[in-house]
Amino acid sequence: MGGGGQRVGRRALVAGAVLGVSGLAAAPARAAGRPGAVRVYRSGGHTVVARPLANSDGSNALVQVRDVNRAGQVLGMIDAGEGATPRWPSAIWADGRVTVLPSPVEGAADCGATRLNDRGQAAGYYTVAGREHATLWTGGVPRVLDIGTAYSRAYALNAAGQVAVRGYDVPSGETATWNTVCLVDGQTVTTVEALSGRSLAAVAVNDRGEVLVATSVPQGGPHGAFLWRDGAVVTDFAGVPGLQGVAGLDARGDVVGDCNPPDGGPNPRVFRWSGGALSTLTGPDGAPAWVSDPTIHRALNDTGGFVGVATTSTGNRPFLWSAGTLTDIDTLGGRLAYPVGVNDARQVAGVSQRADGSYGAFLWRAGELIDLAPPPGFDGISADAVTEQGDVLGSAYTTGSAAVYFRFTVR
């Protein structure tokens, strides 16, 4: 992948240093004070209110942030305890109350929702006897989505409740080819694409019913992507030179992703598809830049703005592109930083190295980069997402203890 291959190594350095400590919690956190207590403290010249993503009594604490909707509801999962089946059921936090999403069947080995829409619906899958089945939860009630394949999983969900589901028929472990993508709208199942020998991934579905699909050949083949609507491919991104991945689709049908054009310029570069026109962009001062990365929860907002990472002479730095303007967000003093998301108000959250080598979370808003310190009783902090209300969703941790997940409100 050229520059993209080096990119992975540099990003892994940041993610490993930060997320390795605060990823999936395996045990209850041993933090100071009552588990469900709200912490109020000062950081970066601001007052921060840290509200645990748990019931008000501290029970059913989320141990991961998977998605957040416009109302600020958070999708994650809880630790149901040793012997529970499933051990890590999905759950939705809303205003101090956690709702656990049940499996459609008893004895499911796994039950994982990964997407949450503005109506509080969640989409994902459950697993029985090694087979995954796409599932949609409405009001906490599960419904299995049958698209006609032996294995299926829901990957994208819009506000209208339309679900993009991918599936395959032949079990083959790590080499399984997800060769079918369907759009489920109520009881109607429409096949978006079914390709033999190519892996398909439903990246996103917007409220216009447009589905963004990424394609690849297993074991390192070429990448592709297309945008589908109303039974037809409306845009094929096969013509993007050196396509490496797609990162997001907004309400207007804009798409952003990464490419490595073979023209001798800086690579990787960001490509943007908007209004039928394709453009490529670099980072500040022409630096290589990218947006499609698993650590970026939401790369593209619904006003056409997006965030990414640029590799500059001073290290990896997050940037924001909006309305034709590229803004260098900078770091908290160290060489490495990355964003986790951007909201429609152009507020960006992320993780950054400080000058002393430690890592912390940040919130960038209205041109100010705010260093988000951990709450009292914790040693470190990380960020996973930013809400439309401008809150940072993330975790705080102490050495030797599991992470505690919070909604951080910066005043």
mmCIF file of all heavy atoms in Angstrom, residues 122-148:
data_model
loop_
_atom_site.group_PDB
_atom_site.id
_atom_site.type_symbol
_atom_site.label_atom_id
_atom_site.label_comp_id
_atom_site.label_asym_id
_atom_site.label_seq_id
_atom_site.Cartn_x
_atom_site.Cartn_y
_atom_site.Cartn_z
ATOM 1 N N ALA A 122 -31.429 -0.297 17.100
ATOM 2 C CA ALA A 122 -30.053 -0.787 17.025
ATOM 3 C C ALA A 122 -30.000 -1.958 16.049
ATOM 4 O O ALA A 122 -30.961 -2.715 15.912
ATOM 5 C CB ALA A 122 -29.558 -1.231 18.400
ATOM 6 N N ALA A 123 -28.868 -2.094 15.356
ATOM 7 C CA ALA A 123 -28.709 -3.165 14.378
ATOM 8 C C ALA A 123 -27.386 -3.861 14.592
ATOM 9 O O ALA A 123 -26.380 -3.227 14.929
ATOM 10 C CB ALA A 123 -28.793 -2.606 12.948
ATOM 11 N N GLY A 124 -27.375 -5.178 14.371
ATOM 12 C CA GLY A 124 -26.154 -5.961 14.530
ATOM 13 C C GLY A 124 -26.418 -7.413 14.209
ATOM 14 O O GLY A 124 -26.913 -7.746 13.137
ATOM 15 N N TYR A 125 -26.177 -8.297 15.187
ATOM 16 C CA TYR A 125 -26.282 -9.731 14.924
ATOM 17 C C TYR A 125 -26.366 -10.503 16.239
ATOM 18 O O TYR A 125 -26.092 -9.963 17.318
ATOM 19 C CB TYR A 125 -25.053 -10.221 14.150
ATOM 20 C CG TYR A 125 -23.786 -10.107 14.965
ATOM 21 C CD1 TYR A 125 -23.267 -11.217 15.645
ATOM 22 C CD2 TYR A 125 -23.120 -8.895 15.117
ATOM 23 C CE1 TYR A 125 -22.133 -11.120 16.425
ATOM 24 C CE2 TYR A 125 -21.986 -8.779 15.896
ATOM 25 C CZ TYR A 125 -21.498 -9.895 16.547
ATOM 26 O OH TYR A 125 -20.371 -9.786 17.336
ATOM 27 N N TYR A 126 -26.734 -11.779 16.146
ATOM 28 C CA TYR A 126 -26.534 -12.715 17.245
ATOM 29 C C TYR A 126 -25.920 -13.975 16.660
ATOM 30 O O TYR A 126 -26.015 -14.225 15.448
ATOM 31 C CB TYR A 126 -27.852 -13.019 17.985
ATOM 32 C CG TYR A 126 -28.762 -13.999 17.292
ATOM 33 C CD1 TYR A 126 -28.695 -15.369 17.565
ATOM 34 C CD2 TYR A 126 -29.703 -13.565 16.369
ATOM 35 C CE1 TYR A 126 -29.528 -16.271 16.926
ATOM 36 C CE2 TYR A 126 -30.552 -14.457 15.729
ATOM 37 C CZ TYR A 126 -30.452 -15.806 16.003
ATOM 38 O OH TYR A 126 -31.280 -16.700 15.372
ATOM 39 N N THR A 127 -25.255 -14.758 17.494
ATOM 40 C CA THR A 127 -24.545 -15.947 17.027
ATOM 41 C C THR A 127 -25.002 -17.179 17.790
ATOM 42 O O THR A 127 -25.026 -17.192 19.024
ATOM 43 C CB THR A 127 -23.016 -15.786 17.222
ATOM 44 O OG1 THR A 127 -22.586 -14.599 16.568
ATOM 45 C CG2 THR A 127 -22.276 -16.984 16.643
ATOM 46 N N VAL A 128 -25.373 -18.217 17.044
ATOM 47 C CA VAL A 128 -25.725 -19.526 17.611
ATOM 48 C C VAL A 128 -25.050 -20.591 16.764
ATOM 49 O O VAL A 128 -25.142 -20.556 15.532
ATOM 50 C CB VAL A 128 -27.247 -19.754 17.637
ATOM 51 C CG1 VAL A 128 -27.567 -21.196 17.985
ATOM 52 C CG2 VAL A 128 -27.913 -18.829 18.648
ATOM 53 N N ALA A 129 -24.336 -21.519 17.430
ATOM 54 C CA ALA A 129 -23.651 -22.623 16.742
ATOM 55 C C ALA A 129 -22.741 -22.109 15.628
ATOM 56 O O ALA A 129 -22.630 -22.718 14.558
ATOM 57 C CB ALA A 129 -24.674 -23.602 16.173
ATOM 58 N N GLY A 130 -22.083 -20.981 15.888
ATOM 59 C CA GLY A 130 -21.122 -20.439 14.944
ATOM 60 C C GLY A 130 -21.719 -19.655 13.792
ATOM 61 O O GLY A 130 -20.984 -19.130 12.950
ATOM 62 N N ARG A 131 -23.044 -19.555 13.729
ATOM 63 C CA ARG A 131 -23.691 -18.831 12.645
ATOM 64 C C ARG A 131 -24.196 -17.477 13.119
ATOM 65 O O ARG A 131 -24.899 -17.383 14.130
ATOM 66 C CB ARG A 131 -24.860 -19.629 12.064
ATOM 67 C CG ARG A 131 -24.463 -20.761 11.157
ATOM 68 C CD ARG A 131 -25.690 -21.445 10.560
ATOM 69 N NE ARG A 131 -26.551 -20.500 9.838
ATOM 70 C CZ ARG A 131 -27.724 -20.845 9.298
ATOM 71 N NH1 ARG A 131 -28.162 -22.084 9.428
ATOM 72 N NH2 ARG A 131 -28.439 -19.947 8.660
ATOM 73 N N GLU A 132 -23.829 -16.413 12.381
ATOM 74 C CA GLU A 132 -24.300 -15.073 12.690
ATOM 75 C C GLU A 132 -25.610 -14.807 11.952
ATOM 76 O O GLU A 132 -25.788 -15.216 10.804
ATOM 77 C CB GLU A 132 -23.263 -14.035 12.274
ATOM 78 C CG GLU A 132 -21.964 -14.115 13.045
ATOM 79 C CD GLU A 132 -20.963 -13.063 12.595
ATOM 80 O OE1 GLU A 132 -21.231 -12.395 11.574
ATOM 81 O OE2 GLU A 132 -19.932 -12.916 13.246
ATOM 82 N N HIS A 133 -26.519 -14.095 12.631
ATOM 83 C CA HIS A 133 -27.806 -13.758 12.047
ATOM 84 C C HIS A 133 -28.053 -12.262 12.252
ATOM 85 O O HIS A 133 -28.063 -11.783 13.394
ATOM 86 C CB HIS A 133 -28.933 -14.556 12.708
ATOM 87 C CG HIS A 133 -28.749 -16.046 12.657
ATOM 88 N ND1 HIS A 133 -29.309 -16.825 11.674
ATOM 89 C CD2 HIS A 133 -28.052 -16.886 13.458
ATOM 90 C CE1 HIS A 133 -28.980 -18.088 11.865
ATOM 91 N NE2 HIS A 133 -28.217 -18.159 12.956
ATOM 92 N N ALA A 134 -28.285 -11.533 11.166
ATOM 93 C CA ALA A 134 -28.548 -10.098 11.259
ATOM 94 C C ALA A 134 -29.795 -9.843 12.096
ATOM 95 O O ALA A 134 -30.802 -10.551 11.965
ATOM 96 C CB ALA A 134 -28.712 -9.504 9.868
ATOM 97 N N THR A 135 -29.719 -8.803 12.947
ATOM 98 C CA THR A 135 -30.798 -8.522 13.885
ATOM 99 C C THR A 135 -31.031 -7.025 14.006
ATOM 100 O O THR A 135 -30.074 -6.240 13.986
ATOM 101 C CB THR A 135 -30.477 -9.111 15.271
ATOM 102 O OG1 THR A 135 -30.179 -10.508 15.142
ATOM 103 C CG2 THR A 135 -31.640 -8.939 16.234
ATOM 104 N N LEU A 136 -32.292 -6.621 14.125
ATOM 105 C CA LEU A 136 -32.676 -5.239 14.365
ATOM 106 C C LEU A 136 -33.475 -5.179 15.656
ATOM 107 O O LEU A 136 -34.427 -5.953 15.845
ATOM 108 C CB LEU A 136 -33.519 -4.709 13.199
ATOM 109 C CG LEU A 136 -34.125 -3.313 13.368
ATOM 110 C CD1 LEU A 136 -33.036 -2.248 13.345
ATOM 111 C CD2 LEU A 136 -35.159 -3.031 12.276
ATOM 112 N N TRP A 137 -33.099 -4.262 16.572
ATOM 113 C CA TRP A 137 -33.832 -4.064 17.820
ATOM 114 C C TRP A 137 -34.624 -2.767 17.747
ATOM 115 O O TRP A 137 -34.056 -1.703 17.471
ATOM 116 C CB TRP A 137 -32.879 -3.990 19.009
ATOM 117 C CG TRP A 137 -32.273 -5.284 19.422
ATOM 118 C CD1 TRP A 137 -32.719 -6.136 20.398
ATOM 119 C CD2 TRP A 137 -31.083 -5.901 18.894
ATOM 120 N NE1 TRP A 137 -31.889 -7.215 20.512
ATOM 121 C CE2 TRP A 137 -30.875 -7.103 19.597
ATOM 122 C CE3 TRP A 137 -30.176 -5.539 17.893
ATOM 123 C CZ2 TRP A 137 -29.798 -7.939 19.340
ATOM 124 C CZ3 TRP A 137 -29.109 -6.362 17.613
ATOM 125 C CH2 TRP A 137 -28.922 -7.558 18.330
ATOM 126 N N THR A 138 -35.926 -2.834 17.987
ATOM 127 C CA THR A 138 -36.789 -1.660 18.017
ATOM 128 C C THR A 138 -37.492 -1.625 19.359
ATOM 129 O O THR A 138 -38.206 -2.575 19.718
ATOM 130 C CB THR A 138 -37.829 -1.712 16.880
ATOM 131 O OG1 THR A 138 -37.162 -1.801 15.606
ATOM 132 C CG2 THR A 138 -38.698 -0.457 16.895
ATOM 133 N N GLY A 139 -37.278 -0.563 20.116
ATOM 134 C CA GLY A 139 -37.835 -0.516 21.464
ATOM 135 C C GLY A 139 -37.317 -1.630 22.337
ATOM 136 O O GLY A 139 -38.001 -2.083 23.263
ATOM 137 N N GLY A 140 -36.095 -2.098 22.043
ATOM 138 C CA GLY A 140 -35.486 -3.171 22.809
ATOM 139 C C GLY A 140 -35.926 -4.563 22.394
ATOM 140 O O GLY A 140 -35.447 -5.555 22.947
ATOM 141 N N VAL A 141 -36.842 -4.661 21.412
ATOM 142 C CA VAL A 141 -37.354 -5.972 20.974
ATOM 143 C C VAL A 141 -36.614 -6.402 19.706
ATOM 144 O O VAL A 141 -36.573 -5.655 18.725
ATOM 145 C CB VAL A 141 -38.869 -5.900 20.689
ATOM 146 C CG1 VAL A 141 -39.378 -7.243 20.187
ATOM 147 C CG2 VAL A 141 -39.616 -5.466 21.942
ATOM 148 N N PRO A 142 -35.999 -7.596 19.701
ATOM 149 C CA PRO A 142 -35.211 -8.027 18.546
ATOM 150 C C PRO A 142 -36.066 -8.613 17.431
ATOM 151 O O PRO A 142 -37.099 -9.246 17.675
ATOM 152 C CB PRO A 142 -34.290 -9.095 19.139
ATOM 153 C CG PRO A 142 -35.091 -9.687 20.267
ATOM 154 C CD PRO A 142 -35.909 -8.551 20.821
ATOM 155 N N ARG A 143 -35.597 -8.389 16.196
ATOM 156 C CA ARG A 143 -36.196 -9.003 15.022
ATOM 157 C C ARG A 143 -35.084 -9.505 14.126
ATOM 158 O O ARG A 143 -34.175 -8.744 13.755
ATOM 159 C CB ARG A 143 -37.045 -7.991 14.262
ATOM 160 C CG ARG A 143 -37.582 -8.520 12.928
ATOM 161 C CD ARG A 143 -38.150 -7.402 12.079
ATOM 162 N NE ARG A 143 -38.155 -7.789 10.672
ATOM 163 C CZ ARG A 143 -38.097 -6.928 9.672
ATOM 164 N NH1 ARG A 143 -37.998 -5.629 9.913
ATOM 165 N NH2 ARG A 143 -38.109 -7.359 8.429
ATOM 166 N N VAL A 144 -35.115 -10.790 13.785
ATOM 167 C CA VAL A 144 -34.099 -11.376 12.918
ATOM 168 C C VAL A 144 -34.385 -10.976 11.475
ATOM 169 O O VAL A 144 -35.525 -11.054 11.002
ATOM 170 C CB VAL A 144 -34.073 -12.914 13.055
ATOM 171 C CG1 VAL A 144 -33.008 -13.509 12.140
ATOM 172 C CG2 VAL A 144 -33.809 -13.303 14.499
ATOM 173 N N LEU A 145 -33.338 -10.522 10.772
ATOM 174 C CA LEU A 145 -33.464 -10.079 9.390
ATOM 175 C C LEU A 145 -32.934 -11.164 8.463
ATOM 176 O O LEU A 145 -31.728 -11.388 8.378
ATOM 177 C CB LEU A 145 -32.677 -8.777 9.179
ATOM 178 C CG LEU A 145 -33.024 -7.631 10.132
ATOM 179 C CD1 LEU A 145 -32.118 -6.431 9.859
ATOM 180 C CD2 LEU A 145 -34.484 -7.237 10.020
ATOM 181 N N ASP A 146 -33.815 -11.826 7.769
ATOM 182 C CA ASP A 146 -33.432 -12.921 6.883
ATOM 183 C C ASP A 146 -33.243 -12.383 5.469
ATOM 184 O O ASP A 146 -34.195 -11.933 4.834
ATOM 185 C CB ASP A 146 -34.531 -13.993 6.892
ATOM 186 C CG ASP A 146 -34.178 -15.206 6.042
ATOM 187 O OD1 ASP A 146 -33.030 -15.273 5.542
ATOM 188 O OD2 ASP A 146 -35.051 -16.084 5.879
ATOM 189 N N ILE A 147 -32.002 -12.436 4.972
ATOM 190 C CA ILE A 147 -31.743 -11.977 3.599
ATOM 191 C C ILE A 147 -31.480 -13.154 2.665
ATOM 192 O O ILE A 147 -31.073 -12.959 1.521
ATOM 193 C CB ILE A 147 -30.567 -10.989 3.551
ATOM 194 C CG1 ILE A 147 -29.243 -11.671 3.959
ATOM 195 C CG2 ILE A 147 -30.837 -9.772 4.415
ATOM 196 C CD1 ILE A 147 -28.013 -10.840 3.645
ATOM 197 N N GLY A 148 -31.683 -14.378 3.164
ATOM 198 C CA GLY A 148 -31.547 -15.541 2.309
ATOM 199 C C GLY A 148 -30.175 -16.165 2.259
ATOM 200 O O GLY A 148 -29.937 -17.102 1.491
#
